[in-house]
Amino acid sequence: MTDIRFVMVDKLKEKPDVSKIGFGTHFTDYMFEMDYDEGQGWHDPRIIPYQDIKVSPANTTLHYGQAIFEGCKAYRYKGGKAVVFRAKDHIARLNRSAKILDIPPVDEKLVYEALMKLIDIEKEWIPAGKGQSLYIRPFIFADDPYLGVSVSSSYKLLIILSPVAAYYAHGFAPVKIMVEDTYVRAVRGGLGAAKTPANYAASLHAGLLAHQKGYDQTLWLDGVERKYIGEVGSMNILFKIDNKIVTPELDGTILDGITRRTVLQVAKSWGYEVEERRISTDELIDAYKAGKLEEVFGSGTAAVISPVGELGYDHADIKMVLNGGAIGPFAQKMYDYIDGLHTGEVEDTFGFIDVAGTY
């Protein structure tokens, strides 16, 4: 086992009523931190009291955005155990993002051990309510204190934890999506496949415009022809077309979502044909008019499954209403299944669950 230094906090915080707080507003007593310096590599792994970070006003990340992050969750499992869903997959994806932004790779075994040890220490922070969880945010940022435009020579890796309520405050319900054909989230050869702050900054303006038009999320199109489907909001998008589960291929503009992977694996195990390929807006409209576009739903760590009740595309002057605006049976079944995996109500035959305290 790696020697991870542990610094105890003087006084533990009072735990909030998770049902009454927003997403990412409260944080646990401890966090993990590790440093990187050129020539020394990643060093000094430590679990310390949650605290503010001191950075130089010339910090590289503040000016040039060399940063990456992850998002996964810990759950209260049957018997009271603390578990994390697909932790190793999230850490592996952190390194894939690191490669795209020229950030030094981390030792995945060490980071996994640190994450699970942190969860074990903070397991009393995991809420037990339906749909509630402890959100886990690992992130790496460049820490050089000067303004030269170059790859940084120093970095920090941190993992912070935040108790969160069920994503659907008013219950599991369909959302309204607007196809966005003016603004672009990502292009081939860019950062679309990395989980980096720049992709989220690029999505904010179009998201605000969608909300002003009465929609919940934006459905992104490709940046060249503006007709091939990308992501939806900050999630992956999937379609049930003529009893097949179809989702855009990973072409460098789309994040390799861990929940997306889960949906595809589970769907295959249920006997569904699964396709990862280019999907055009014309194909969706044709499938809808032919009665073959049976369901649309997003997938991601925060919501797990987000069913789409209405898909609006102003350019084509069409609003596609799915399942009469209600939740589709496949989306409901998948949500219930994955939610059950999180808590142990459904047997984990895939090996997705890691138990804290057994690392």
Side-chain angles (χ1 to χ4, degrees), residues 55-346:
V55 297
S56 164
N59 172 272
T60 308
T61 298
L62 296 179
H63 298 274
Y64 307 119
Q66 195 188 10
I68 56 176
F69 66 95
E70 269 301 319
C72 52
K73 287 181 175 180
Y75 297 90
R76 182 69 61 193
Y77 210 62
K78 61 182 179 182
K81 292 184 291 186
V83 304
V84 182
F85 189 73
R86 304 195 72 161
K88 292 177 182 176
D89 291 319
H90 282 279
I91 295 168
R93 190 174 66 179
L94 186 73
N95 263 348
R96 293 197 297 276
S97 294
K99 185 176 182 180
I100 294 172
L101 278 91
D102 286 311
I103 293 172
V106 298
D107 181 332
E108 293 179 22
K109 184 177 179 181
L110 185 154
V111 175
Y112 171 78
E113 185 180 312
L115 187 155
M116 298 306 288
K117 184 174 182 179
L118 182 61
I119 294 299
D120 192 32
I121 291 169
E122 299 281 54
K123 56 181 174 288
E124 296 305 317
W125 279 86
I126 303 175
K130 179 69 173 175
Q132 297 178 351
S133 59
L134 185 64
Y135 185 77
I136 305 167
R137 171 54 61 88
F139 61 103
I140 300 174
F141 66 94
D143 199 30
D144 276 358
Y146 40 80
L147 297 179
V149 183
S150 63
V151 173
S152 185
S153 62
S154 59
Y155 300 85
K156 282 188 178 293
L157 162 64
L158 291 94
I159 303 175
I160 58 177
L161 310 174
S162 177
V164 294
Y167 184 81
Y168 300 101
H170 304 293
F172 185 55
V175 295
K176 295 173 64 177
I177 302 297
M178 183 189 80
V179 178
E180 175 55 65
D181 58 5
T182 300
Y183 300 99
V184 175
R185 172 189 168 273
V187 295
R188 293 189 184 189
L191 301 176
K195 200 166 177 67
T196 180
N199 289 333
Y200 292 77
S203 73
L204 294 176
H205 180 65
L208 286 174
L209 294 180
H211 290 158
Q212 290 171 8
K213 293 181 180 180
Y215 291 94
D216 299 294
Q217 295 276 10
T218 296
L219 181 63
W220 301 103
L221 301 180
D222 72 283
V224 179
E225 298 180 69
R226 306 292 177 90
K227 72 176 196 177
Y228 291 103
I229 305 301
E231 293 190 7
V232 58
S234 57
M235 296 186 291
N236 294 119
I237 188 76
L238 300 100
F239 306 91
K240 187 166 178 278
I241 303 174
D242 200 17
N243 207 40
K244 297 177 183 178
I245 306 305
V246 186
T247 192
E249 63 189 2
L250 301 177
D251 62 356
T253 69
I254 294 170
L255 187 68
D256 181 6
I258 306 304
T259 309
R260 173 187 183 274
R261 279 201 218 173
T262 303
V263 170
L264 298 183
Q265 286 177 260
V266 173
K268 287 178 183 178
S269 76
W270 289 349
Y272 284 93
E273 187 175 343
V274 170
E275 295 180 350
E276 297 178 67
R277 59 174 174 80
R278 298 181 89 184
I279 308 165
S280 71
T281 51
D282 288 340
E283 178 186 352
L284 288 185
I285 292 169
D286 289 344
Y288 177 74
K289 290 180 177 178
K292 294 182 178 181
L293 182 58
E294 297 156 355
E295 294 188 44
V296 181
F297 57 95
S299 70
T301 296
V304 183
I305 299 296
S306 184
V308 176
E310 182 180 307
L311 186 59
Y313 188 18
D314 290 347
H315 180 75
D317 193 26
I318 188 171
K319 285 189 178 181
M320 294 173 264
V321 177
L322 292 312
N323 298 293
I327 300 169
F330 181 88
Q332 183 70 65
K333 182 180 179 182
M334 185 62 70
Y335 175 79
D336 292 341
Y337 184 87
I338 297 176
D339 186 55
L341 286 175
H342 293 158
T343 60
E345 295 171 17
V346 171

